[in-house]
Amino acid sequence: MRKMSIWKADWLVGLLVALFFLFSAGSDLMQSLERKAYDLGVRASSHLPSDKVVVIAIDDQSIANLGRWPWPRATQAKMLDLLAQGHAKVVGNTALFFEPQVDPGLAYINKIADALGKSALLNNAEPARQSEPSQIDALLLEAVQNLDNDQKLSESMTQANDVLLAMFFELGDAQGRPSKPLPDYVQKNNLANINDPAGLGMAGVLPLPAASVQYPIPLLGERAVGIGHLNTLIDVDGAVRVEPLVVGYYDQLYPSLPLLLAAKSLNLEAKDIQVNLGQGVKLGNLNIATDSSLRMHTYFYRDREGKPAFQVDSFFDVLSGKISPDKYRDKIVLIGATAAGVGTATVTPISAGMAPVLTLAHSVSSILKQDYFIVPNWSSWAQIGVFVLVALYLIVLLPRLSALLGALITGGIFIALLVTHFMLMTTQAMWLPLMLPATMLLVGHLLLTSKYFFMSEKGKIKSDAESAESNRMLGLAFQGQGQLDIAFDKFRKVAIDDSLMEVLYNLGLDFERKRQFNKAESVFRYMAEYNPRFRDLKDRLAQSKAMSETVILGGNSGKSNASTMVLDRVGVSKPMLGRYEIEKELGKGAMGVVYMGRDPKIGRVVAIKTMALAQEFDADELEDVKARFFREAETAGRLNHPNIVNMYDAGEEHDLAYIAMEFLKGQDLAPYTKAGNLLPLPKVLSIVARVADALGYAHTLNVVHRDIKPANIMYDAETDTVKVTDFGIARITDSSKTKTGMVLGTPSYMSPEQLAGTKIEGSSDLFSLGVSLYLMVCGKLPFNGDSMAQLMFRIANEPHVDILTVRPDLPPCVVQIINRALAKKVTERYQTGAEMADAIRQCAASLQG
């Protein structure tokens, strides 16, 4: 009996809790909890960032205007030239120049130079012909100078003389000796001023070790005024909180890029940086306290009044002259990517996704303003002392107290620990990890309290209540993750009351947004059993029942009004396709409906083209069509041209495949093909030339449109913007017939080879563009027929109607362009879009003259 009473003793619960937390102190869970509390302390403190630090961002706007990243390094050279004109103090470039950037044209020039070098032309074997080689030499030299982007960047760096570059270490214990010494331009950044009065180096207290290193190519590295490492350290929860100011590479120490930037801004060199092993780094008069591995706890500055902590300017705005270089006089300028998909965003105490260049800005400002956090040397002893005191309270004191008094004292201790944690961080910039004893205090108190209740009927009631609350919280968690069916199951295990009715009502609305009206009806019916007069439950129930039999956001197959009926219904929650909210219908095509949608996370308005593939294709073709859909959508999504509509996303939900693309103003060109509504000839030529440019670009990437026609060309008259739409859609639907027997494609615009079913290349699109040009010039098609078969025969075998019979005043150059574009033989047409665009522009120029 005595043995059983020991196991029931209250002090044993406290002892077991203390032992559990003692052995779990180093676990990822506890360390993550400590760091979440650290993040709250960072956000609770307030410091102003250095106004000397500015960021020039390689953002989405810059990429949209300058093309995909990486850009030619000559572009970055132009930026350095501008910053040199503006007299920036120091420039930190986060791009990694580990490999040369060789322009394809430069490679050919080098081959030509090699070939000529072996001939008599450059060997001067025949003096009489020396004039000819010298001209070739000059041309080759000029070509090399124009195409060698690395040389241009190197020259700009030399002229600026204020650029710092980045290197990257592979962290880990080095074995043996390095295979080769680092280049001189890297070794000049070695930190040789080391202070170790306590002999910590002998005791193994050293900075983070590295086994290998990647550094800039010599052409650029030799022109940099400094090279610092850009390594980041990820905490156990995936966030970045510390900056490794120094990394050890065998017997050498190298600074981080933020440390070197701060030094250069103070007119200091690497030799002026003093490393105090186990304590910190001294930078002039600045003493930067770190942990024993020389890692600084960076302070992250919060945005203020809706403005970012640091001045962030678009790379394109600076390059295009919208922002004057004088703005950066005496500034520390950091150049780096913030665009989506370029680089890897990191989690920080103030952001769930911060671009590396912004993290760099916070680190530089923390060094210059000494806003970092410190962990005092006595912190370990303090943590042990607090842990022991809380353990003694749980084992000895708490079991002797009444429930009310125990709750008051536990609450007081817990608040004292939290206040101490936050006061030290906000007033002393000191981090003392106290979440382990605080969590142990709460868990121990809850376990002892639960033990009291489980020993009585009251404990059973409490247990039931906690179980209900657990199901409620689980249901809310699953609902937040979009797992609505599981959420409904959890909610049905909770006793229904007025508060749960609110939760269930929102669940029903979520089912409506997912177009699962039958499940929404089940939720509303379950609610009606408790209170049928709740809000508009009666109307919702009737509406869901009716909607469960309606095709929502479907195709046109026999139900042309289904989608608009649902979107216009008052009281119905906005439907969702993937992550997009559907706002309204824009129009209908051969296979589906086009909607205006919105991405609620970033507020971007998009056009969403839907395809009810299951309605249009037989089951044996469906899987192949779906695979082709996503393959073609991916291919079209890689196109990046000012005259091609941008595709953002593609997906499938229930019976619908969809593509989210750029929302365009204006309208397609179909209305401008009517005889009474034709555009002026110069405007038509301008539009068609840009379409030819877009097609030429796509053809170089082996992407053929297959359905060029005025309806697939968007034009905004206000901004004179032209965009080609529906790349890849024709190929997606290019399999036999659909279930409805619908003929896909537009025969009037098809090329002869397209009608013949032979291999389709870019020249087919140019033929279709020629048909469109013909129609937009005179208002009539070049081929007509009383039947589909007759039309197709004439396209394949008969010449087009001479346009001069329709419009005699047409200039000869326009007629020549149309005739060549509509040639039956592929070899007689324009071979590239660029060729056709050039011919059109030459014609337009001659008309203006």
Side-chain angles (χ1 to χ4, degrees):
M1 288 293 292
R2 181 168 180 79
K3 186 176 181 180
M4 290 296 293
S5 64
I6 292 177
W7 286 108
K8 293 182 179 180
D10 293 336
W11 61 266
L12 184 60
V13 175
L15 178 61
L16 293 175
V17 170
L19 290 174
F20 173 81
F21 278 88
L22 178 62
F23 289 110
S24 64
S27 66
D28 288 352
L29 176 62
M30 288 309 306
Q31 292 301 313
S32 296
L33 184 61
E34 292 284 7
R35 279 151 180 78
K36 294 305 178 187
Y38 173 93
D39 293 349
L40 291 175
V42 174
R43 292 195 287 270
S45 57
S46 179
H47 294 282
L48 292 176
S50 171
D51 60 357
K52 294 293 185 181
V53 180
V54 297
V55 174
I56 295 180
I58 300 169
D59 54 4
D60 291 323
Q61 176 195 352
S62 301
I63 291 177
N65 286 279
L66 299 176
R68 292 184 179 180
W69 179 262
W71 301 322
R73 290 176 182 170
T75 302
Q76 300 195 49
K78 294 178 182 177
M79 175 60 69
L80 294 182
D81 294 340
L82 290 173
L83 295 176
Q85 294 173 20
H87 300 286
K89 181 68 175 179
V90 62
V91 179
N93 197 327
T94 63
L96 302 176
F97 303 107
F98 297 159
E99 296 179 352
Q101 187 182 74
V102 180
D103 189 282
L106 180 59
Y108 281 107
I109 293 297
N110 289 332
K111 291 181 180 179
I112 294 172
D114 288 341
L116 290 174
K118 298 173 183 177
S119 71
L121 291 175
L122 296 182
N123 291 334
N124 296 321
E126 297 180 20
R129 297 173 58 190
Q130 286 182 3
S131 59
E132 183 178 353
S134 63
Q135 294 177 4
I136 295 176
D137 287 347
L139 289 173
L140 289 175
L141 180 60
E142 181 182 355
V144 169
Q145 291 173 344
N146 290 330
L147 296 175
D148 194 341
N149 288 300
D150 284 345
Q151 183 63 38
K152 291 181 180 179
L153 181 56
S154 176
E155 292 171 356
S156 296
M157 290 175 62
T158 302
Q159 181 178 355
N161 196 32
D162 61 1
V163 181
L164 278 76
L165 299 182
M167 57 183 170
F168 187 84
F169 288 101
E170 181 182 347
L171 299 179
D173 291 329
Q175 304 296 328
R177 296 179 178 177
S179 57
K180 61 178 180 179
L182 296 179
D184 291 339
Y185 62 86
V186 176
Q187 291 198 45
K188 73 177 183 179
N189 301 281
N190 176 32
L191 303 179
N193 188 359
I194 302 173
N195 183 29
D196 186 19
L200 296 178
M202 298 295 294
V205 181
L206 295 171
L208 297 174
S212 63
V213 60
Q214 291 179 285
Y215 44 83
I217 60 176
L219 184 60
L220 302 180
E222 291 174 352
R223 301 298 182 267
V225 296
I227 301 174
H229 77 78
L230 205 56
N231 288 74
T232 56
L233 296 181
I234 307 299
D235 258 333
V236 293
D237 59 350
V240 172
R241 297 180 180 88
V242 298
E243 174 69 37
L245 294 183
V246 179
V247 167
Y249 180 74
Y250 293 91
D251 58 347
Q252 296 178 331
L253 302 181
Y254 288 94
S256 68
L257 186 58
L259 179 60
L260 207 52
L261 283 165
K264 292 295 182 181
S265 71
L266 299 173
N267 302 315
L268 299 176
E269 302 293 335
K271 63 183 179 181
D272 300 320
I273 301 174
Q274 179 177 316
V275 177
N276 299 317
L277 291 182
Q279 298 178 359
V281 175
K282 186 174 183 181
L283 196 64
N285 293 325
L286 300 179
N287 286 304
I288 307 160
T290 66
D291 63 11
S292 60
S293 297
L294 298 182
R295 296 177 297 187
M296 177 186 72
H297 287 77
T298 304
Y299 180 84
F300 289 87
Y301 303 86
R302 293 182 289 112
D303 297 346
R304 292 178 175 269
E305 300 177 355
K307 296 182 180 179
F310 295 95
Q311 173 186 316
V312 179
D313 296 327
S314 172
F315 191 103
F316 179 73
D317 287 346
V318 181
L319 194 66
S320 61
K322 185 177 180 181
I323 297 176
S324 171
D326 291 333
K327 181 179 181 181
Y328 306 104
R329 180 178 294 273
D330 294 327
K331 300 289 186 180
I332 302 172
V333 182
L334 308 179
I335 302 175
T338 63
V342 181
T344 303
T346 55
V347 179
T348 66
I350 63 170
S351 172
M354 180 179 290
V357 69
L358 295 178
T359 305
L360 177 63
H362 287 276
S363 296
V364 174
S365 180
S366 293
I367 294 172
L368 292 176
K369 300 206 67 179
Q370 296 196 284
D371 287 334
Y372 46 81
F373 292 94
I374 62 173
V375 180
N377 295 330
W378 46 263
S379 64
S380 297
W381 292 107
Q383 292 177 67
I384 294 173
V386 174
F387 183 92
V388 170
L389 290 175
V390 172
L392 290 175
Y393 168 75
L394 294 175
I395 297 170
V396 179
L397 186 57
L398 183 58
R400 302 174 185 271
L401 301 176
S402 64
L404 177 60
L405 184 58
L408 291 175
I409 295 178
T410 297
I413 297 173
F414 182 76
I415 292 173
L417 292 174
L418 292 184
V419 169
T420 300
H421 169 83
F422 286 104
M423 288 298 292
L424 286 175
M425 291 199 71
T426 56
T427 62
Q428 303 298 318
M430 183 184 298
W431 179 37
L432 182 63
L434 294 174
M435 290 306 102
L436 177 66
T439 307
M440 181 178 70
L441 175 67
L442 288 182
V443 172
H445 184 91
L446 289 175
L447 286 176
L448 282 170
T449 304
S450 300
K451 180 177 179 293
Y452 296 150
F453 283 113
F454 279 129
M455 298 300 291
S456 64
E457 185 63 25
K458 192 174 183 180
K460 183 178 182 303
I461 296 173
K462 179 69 174 177
S463 177
D464 292 339
E466 288 179 353
S467 177
E469 185 63 17
S470 176
N471 282 315
R472 181 190 183 102
M473 296 304 294
L474 284 172
L476 290 171
F478 284 121
Q479 183 180 359
Q481 296 171 7
Q483 302 182 53
L484 305 184
D485 292 319
I486 301 177
F488 190 30
D489 289 339
K490 295 296 180 183
F491 290 145
R492 281 185 291 190
K493 295 178 181 179
V494 180
I496 194 168
D497 55 19
D498 290 341
S499 64
L500 187 64
M501 287 287 283
E502 293 285 347
V503 174
L504 290 170
Y505 186 84
N506 291 328
L507 180 65
L509 296 183
D510 283 347
F511 274 123
E512 283 187 358
R513 295 186 187 98
K514 291 291 186 180
R515 304 183 292 122
Q516 299 175 7
F517 288 91
N518 57 333
K519 295 179 181 178
E521 179 188 0
S522 299
V523 175
F524 294 141
R525 192 178 301 281
Y526 178 74
M527 295 172 62
E529 295 177 0
Y530 175 76
N531 181 8
R533 292 184 294 277
F534 180 81
R535 289 196 183 185
D536 58 344
L537 185 59
K538 183 178 179 180
D539 294 337
R540 287 281 178 189
L541 184 58
Q543 184 172 262
S544 297
K545 184 177 181 180
M547 292 299 175
S548 63
E549 302 172 357
T550 305
V551 176
I552 310 303
L553 297 176
N556 287 346
S557 303
K559 297 184 179 180
S560 60
N561 296 323
S563 58
T564 53
M565 177 175 62
V566 173
L567 287 171
D568 295 341
R569 184 70 64 89
V570 176
V572 177
S573 301
K574 289 183 179 179
M576 304 283 291
L577 264 179
R579 68 173 187 267
Y580 301 100
E581 288 181 354
I582 302 302
E583 299 285 346
K584 66 179 180 179
E585 180 181 309
L586 298 176
K588 296 178 181 177
M591 294 186 61
V593 185
V594 181
Y595 299 95
M596 184 179 80
R598 183 181 300 274
D599 187 339
K601 290 186 177 180
I602 60 176
R604 178 161 62 192
V605 177
V606 298
I608 302 176
K609 173 162 290 191
T610 63
M611 295 184 182
L613 300 179
Q615 297 179 18
E616 301 295 344
F617 293 91
D618 293 325
D620 58 346
E621 291 182 301
L622 189 57
E623 289 303 315
D624 179 66
V625 172
K626 286 183 178 179
R628 190 185 309 148
F629 172 85
F630 287 106
R631 186 167 60 250
E632 292 297 325
E634 178 184 2
T635 300
R638 291 199 298 266
L639 299 179
N640 184 8
H641 191 275
N643 300 118
I644 297 177
V645 65
N646 291 320
M647 293 180 60
Y648 300 130
D649 196 10
E652 181 183 16
E653 182 167 327
H654 302 298
D655 56 331
L656 288 180
Y658 65 89
I659 297 176
M661 62 187 70
E662 178 184 4
F663 181 81
L664 302 175
K665 295 181 180 180
Q667 60 181 339
D668 62 58
L669 292 175
Y672 300 115
T673 61
K674 310 301 179 184
N677 194 37
L678 299 180
L679 293 169
L681 182 58
K683 182 64 66 178
V684 172
L685 295 177
S686 173
I687 292 172
V688 174
R690 282 177 277 177
V691 175
D693 283 335
L695 293 175
Y697 163 81
H699 296 162
T700 61
L701 299 179
N702 297 319
V703 178
V704 182
H705 190 288
R706 295 171 174 262
D707 194 19
I708 289 295
K709 56 185 177 182
N712 283 336
I713 303 171
M714 297 294 293
Y715 177 64
D716 184 1
E718 292 184 4
T719 61
D720 192 33
T721 301
V722 179
K723 296 272 187 175
V724 182
T725 67
D726 284 359
F727 265 92
I729 302 301
R731 184 174 178 86
I732 293 168
T733 57
D734 195 23
S735 64
S736 67
K737 286 187 176 180
T738 65
K739 284 184 180 179
T740 58
M742 183 185 305
V743 176
L744 300 172
T746 314
S748 296
Y749 301 86
M750 288 185 178
S751 65
E753 62 268 26
Q754 197 170 1
L755 293 174
T758 58
K759 183 178 179 181
I760 303 301
E761 295 181 343
S763 57
S764 176
D765 284 347
L766 301 182
F767 182 97
S768 302
L769 183 59
V771 176
S772 302
L773 174 60
Y774 187 110
L775 179 61
M776 293 174 64
V777 166
C778 68
K780 292 185 178 181
L781 287 166
F783 303 97
N784 291 286
D786 296 330
S787 65
M788 183 79 70
Q790 186 181 46
L791 171 63
M792 295 170 69
F793 177 83
R794 287 180 175 174
I795 293 174
N797 299 284
E798 297 180 3
H800 59 276
V801 176
D802 187 354
I803 194 168
L804 292 176
T805 63
V806 183
R807 186 173 173 178
D809 63 334
L810 206 61
C813 64
V814 178
V815 177
Q816 183 180 1
I817 291 170
I818 291 174
N819 290 341
R820 184 172 177 184
L822 296 181
K824 303 294 182 187
K825 293 183 179 180
V826 172
T827 55
E828 295 177 0
R829 298 179 205 155
Y830 294 103
Q831 297 304 299
T832 65
E835 183 184 2
M836 184 172 179
D838 187 52
I840 294 173
R841 290 191 174 99
Q842 290 182 13
C843 176
S846 67
L847 297 181
Q848 291 178 357

mmCIF file of all heavy atoms in Angstrom, residues 80-101:
data_model
loop_
_atom_site.group_PDB
_atom_site.id
_atom_site.type_symbol
_atom_site.label_atom_id
_atom_site.label_comp_id
_atom_site.label_asym_id
_atom_site.label_seq_id
_atom_site.Cartn_x
_atom_site.Cartn_y
_atom_site.Cartn_z
ATOM 1 N N LEU A 80 26.946 50.382 -61.659
ATOM 2 C CA LEU A 80 28.122 50.837 -60.910
ATOM 3 C C LEU A 80 28.606 52.191 -61.426
ATOM 4 O O LEU A 80 29.051 53.038 -60.642
ATOM 5 C CB LEU A 80 29.239 49.802 -61.011
ATOM 6 C CG LEU A 80 28.969 48.445 -60.334
ATOM 7 C CD1 LEU A 80 30.192 47.536 -60.471
ATOM 8 C CD2 LEU A 80 28.618 48.633 -58.870
ATOM 9 N N ASP A 81 28.510 52.386 -62.739
ATOM 10 C CA ASP A 81 28.907 53.682 -63.300
ATOM 11 C C ASP A 81 28.028 54.802 -62.751
ATOM 12 O O ASP A 81 28.516 55.895 -62.415
ATOM 13 C CB ASP A 81 28.821 53.647 -64.826
ATOM 14 C CG ASP A 81 29.839 52.693 -65.443
ATOM 15 O OD1 ASP A 81 30.836 52.361 -64.756
ATOM 16 O OD2 ASP A 81 29.638 52.286 -66.601
ATOM 17 N N LEU A 82 26.717 54.523 -62.652
ATOM 18 C CA LEU A 82 25.805 55.534 -62.115
ATOM 19 C C LEU A 82 26.105 55.824 -60.646
ATOM 20 O O LEU A 82 26.118 56.974 -60.217
ATOM 21 C CB LEU A 82 24.351 55.062 -62.264
ATOM 22 C CG LEU A 82 23.801 55.008 -63.688
ATOM 23 C CD1 LEU A 82 22.422 54.376 -63.704
ATOM 24 C CD2 LEU A 82 23.724 56.421 -64.268
ATOM 25 N N LEU A 83 26.334 54.770 -59.857
ATOM 26 C CA LEU A 83 26.632 54.961 -58.437
ATOM 27 C C LEU A 83 27.958 55.690 -58.249
ATOM 28 O O LEU A 83 28.123 56.462 -57.295
ATOM 29 C CB LEU A 83 26.652 53.609 -57.715
ATOM 30 C CG LEU A 83 25.317 52.872 -57.657
ATOM 31 C CD1 LEU A 83 25.471 51.502 -56.997
ATOM 32 C CD2 LEU A 83 24.281 53.702 -56.909
ATOM 33 N N ALA A 84 28.931 55.443 -59.147
ATOM 34 C CA ALA A 84 30.189 56.174 -59.079
ATOM 35 C C ALA A 84 29.959 57.658 -59.343
ATOM 36 O O ALA A 84 30.549 58.520 -58.680
ATOM 37 C CB ALA A 84 31.185 55.591 -60.073
ATOM 38 N N GLN A 85 29.058 57.952 -60.309
ATOM 39 C CA GLN A 85 28.719 59.356 -60.568
ATOM 40 C C GLN A 85 28.056 59.996 -59.350
ATOM 41 O O GLN A 85 28.243 61.175 -59.069
ATOM 42 C CB GLN A 85 27.773 59.451 -61.766
ATOM 43 C CG GLN A 85 28.388 59.019 -63.084
ATOM 44 C CD GLN A 85 27.362 58.982 -64.205
ATOM 45 O OE1 GLN A 85 26.311 59.613 -64.108
ATOM 46 N NE2 GLN A 85 27.648 58.238 -65.268
ATOM 47 N N GLY A 86 27.245 59.206 -58.632
ATOM 48 C CA GLY A 86 26.566 59.719 -57.451
ATOM 49 C C GLY A 86 27.424 59.735 -56.208
ATOM 50 O O GLY A 86 26.962 60.143 -55.152
ATOM 51 N N HIS A 87 28.663 59.225 -56.295
ATOM 52 C CA HIS A 87 29.607 59.234 -55.188
ATOM 53 C C HIS A 87 29.091 58.435 -53.999
ATOM 54 O O HIS A 87 29.065 58.916 -52.855
ATOM 55 C CB HIS A 87 29.919 60.673 -54.748
ATOM 56 C CG HIS A 87 30.516 61.523 -55.841
ATOM 57 N ND1 HIS A 87 31.818 61.384 -56.285
ATOM 58 C CD2 HIS A 87 29.952 62.502 -56.612
ATOM 59 C CE1 HIS A 87 32.048 62.257 -57.258
ATOM 60 N NE2 HIS A 87 30.932 62.945 -57.488
ATOM 61 N N ALA A 88 28.647 57.207 -54.263
ATOM 62 C CA ALA A 88 28.282 56.310 -53.173
ATOM 63 C C ALA A 88 29.528 56.003 -52.343
ATOM 64 O O ALA A 88 30.640 55.914 -52.862
ATOM 65 C CB ALA A 88 27.677 55.021 -53.730
ATOM 66 N N LYS A 89 29.338 55.834 -51.045
ATOM 67 C CA LYS A 89 30.477 55.559 -50.156
ATOM 68 C C LYS A 89 31.052 54.179 -50.432
ATOM 69 O O LYS A 89 32.255 54.007 -50.605
ATOM 70 C CB LYS A 89 30.021 55.661 -48.697
ATOM 71 C CG LYS A 89 31.134 55.416 -47.679
ATOM 72 C CD LYS A 89 32.168 56.518 -47.708
ATOM 73 C CE LYS A 89 33.205 56.346 -46.620
ATOM 74 N NZ LYS A 89 34.223 57.398 -46.651
ATOM 75 N N VAL A 90 30.189 53.168 -50.449
ATOM 76 C CA VAL A 90 30.638 51.802 -50.700
ATOM 77 C C VAL A 90 29.449 51.030 -51.260
ATOM 78 O O VAL A 90 28.295 51.318 -50.939
ATOM 79 C CB VAL A 90 31.170 51.146 -49.405
ATOM 80 C CG1 VAL A 90 30.084 51.049 -48.353
ATOM 81 C CG2 VAL A 90 31.745 49.774 -49.675
ATOM 82 N N VAL A 91 29.730 50.082 -52.136
ATOM 83 C CA VAL A 91 28.688 49.291 -52.799
ATOM 84 C C VAL A 91 28.917 47.821 -52.486
ATOM 85 O O VAL A 91 30.013 47.297 -52.705
ATOM 86 C CB VAL A 91 28.694 49.507 -54.327
ATOM 87 C CG1 VAL A 91 27.615 48.645 -54.982
ATOM 88 C CG2 VAL A 91 28.481 50.975 -54.660
ATOM 89 N N GLY A 92 27.892 47.168 -51.963
ATOM 90 C CA GLY A 92 27.963 45.727 -51.701
ATOM 91 C C GLY A 92 27.059 44.985 -52.661
ATOM 92 O O GLY A 92 25.853 45.199 -52.679
ATOM 93 N N ASN A 93 27.632 44.133 -53.508
ATOM 94 C CA ASN A 93 26.863 43.376 -54.495
ATOM 95 C C ASN A 93 26.725 41.939 -54.001
ATOM 96 O O ASN A 93 27.719 41.246 -53.786
ATOM 97 C CB ASN A 93 27.558 43.418 -55.852
ATOM 98 C CG ASN A 93 26.629 43.021 -56.981
ATOM 99 O OD1 ASN A 93 25.745 42.177 -56.802
ATOM 100 N ND2 ASN A 93 26.812 43.620 -58.146
ATOM 101 N N THR A 94 25.481 41.478 -53.824
ATOM 102 C CA THR A 94 25.251 40.125 -53.300
ATOM 103 C C THR A 94 25.257 39.063 -54.384
ATOM 104 O O THR A 94 25.106 37.882 -54.077
ATOM 105 C CB THR A 94 23.921 40.062 -52.547
ATOM 106 O OG1 THR A 94 22.851 40.348 -53.465
ATOM 107 C CG2 THR A 94 23.888 41.064 -51.405
ATOM 108 N N ALA A 95 25.381 39.469 -55.652
ATOM 109 C CA ALA A 95 25.457 38.463 -56.716
ATOM 110 C C ALA A 95 26.751 37.658 -56.571
ATOM 111 O O ALA A 95 27.789 38.186 -56.169
ATOM 112 C CB ALA A 95 25.401 39.129 -58.088
ATOM 113 N N LEU A 96 26.667 36.369 -56.896
ATOM 114 C CA LEU A 96 27.830 35.482 -56.758
ATOM 115 C C LEU A 96 28.487 35.302 -58.125
ATOM 116 O O LEU A 96 27.932 34.662 -59.015
ATOM 117 C CB LEU A 96 27.394 34.136 -56.184
ATOM 118 C CG LEU A 96 26.693 34.215 -54.821
ATOM 119 C CD1 LEU A 96 26.220 32.842 -54.379
ATOM 120 C CD2 LEU A 96 27.613 34.818 -53.777
ATOM 121 N N PHE A 97 29.655 35.888 -58.301
ATOM 122 C CA PHE A 97 30.348 35.860 -59.586
ATOM 123 C C PHE A 97 31.390 34.745 -59.575
ATOM 124 O O PHE A 97 32.583 34.995 -59.766
ATOM 125 C CB PHE A 97 31.000 37.212 -59.875
ATOM 126 C CG PHE A 97 30.043 38.363 -59.873
ATOM 127 C CD1 PHE A 97 30.029 39.279 -58.832
ATOM 128 C CD2 PHE A 97 29.143 38.514 -60.910
ATOM 129 C CE1 PHE A 97 29.146 40.338 -58.837
ATOM 130 C CE2 PHE A 97 28.259 39.576 -60.925
ATOM 131 C CZ PHE A 97 28.251 40.484 -59.869
ATOM 132 N N PHE A 98 30.928 33.505 -59.375
ATOM 133 C CA PHE A 98 31.855 32.386 -59.271
ATOM 134 C C PHE A 98 32.290 31.860 -60.629
ATOM 135 O O PHE A 98 33.270 31.126 -60.728
ATOM 136 C CB PHE A 98 31.225 31.252 -58.473
ATOM 137 C CG PHE A 98 30.904 31.614 -57.053
ATOM 138 C CD1 PHE A 98 29.969 30.886 -56.325
ATOM 139 C CD2 PHE A 98 31.537 32.685 -56.428
ATOM 140 C CE1 PHE A 98 29.670 31.227 -55.007
ATOM 141 C CE2 PHE A 98 31.246 33.029 -55.126
ATOM 142 C CZ PHE A 98 30.306 32.290 -54.412
ATOM 143 N N GLU A 99 31.564 32.189 -61.679
ATOM 144 C CA GLU A 99 31.885 31.681 -63.012
ATOM 145 C C GLU A 99 31.852 32.825 -64.010
ATOM 146 O O GLU A 99 31.090 33.788 -63.835
ATOM 147 C CB GLU A 99 30.879 30.600 -63.444
ATOM 148 C CG GLU A 99 30.908 29.352 -62.582
ATOM 149 C CD GLU A 99 29.885 28.320 -63.030
ATOM 150 O OE1 GLU A 99 29.062 28.646 -63.910
ATOM 151 O OE2 GLU A 99 29.892 27.213 -62.482
ATOM 152 N N PRO A 100 32.641 32.733 -65.064
ATOM 153 C CA PRO A 100 32.582 33.778 -66.098
ATOM 154 C C PRO A 100 31.224 33.756 -66.791
ATOM 155 O O PRO A 100 30.566 32.724 -66.872
ATOM 156 C CB PRO A 100 33.707 33.390 -67.068
ATOM 157 C CG PRO A 100 34.562 32.420 -66.320
ATOM 158 C CD PRO A 100 33.683 31.716 -65.348
ATOM 159 N N GLN A 101 30.830 34.912 -67.289
ATOM 160 C CA GLN A 101 29.590 35.006 -68.063
ATOM 161 C C GLN A 101 29.979 35.206 -69.531
ATOM 162 O O GLN A 101 30.395 36.286 -69.937
ATOM 163 C CB GLN A 101 28.730 36.160 -67.562
ATOM 164 C CG GLN A 101 27.357 36.199 -68.222
ATOM 165 C CD GLN A 101 26.550 37.376 -67.736
ATOM 166 O OE1 GLN A 101 26.817 38.517 -68.110
ATOM 167 N NE2 GLN A 101 25.555 37.137 -66.892
#
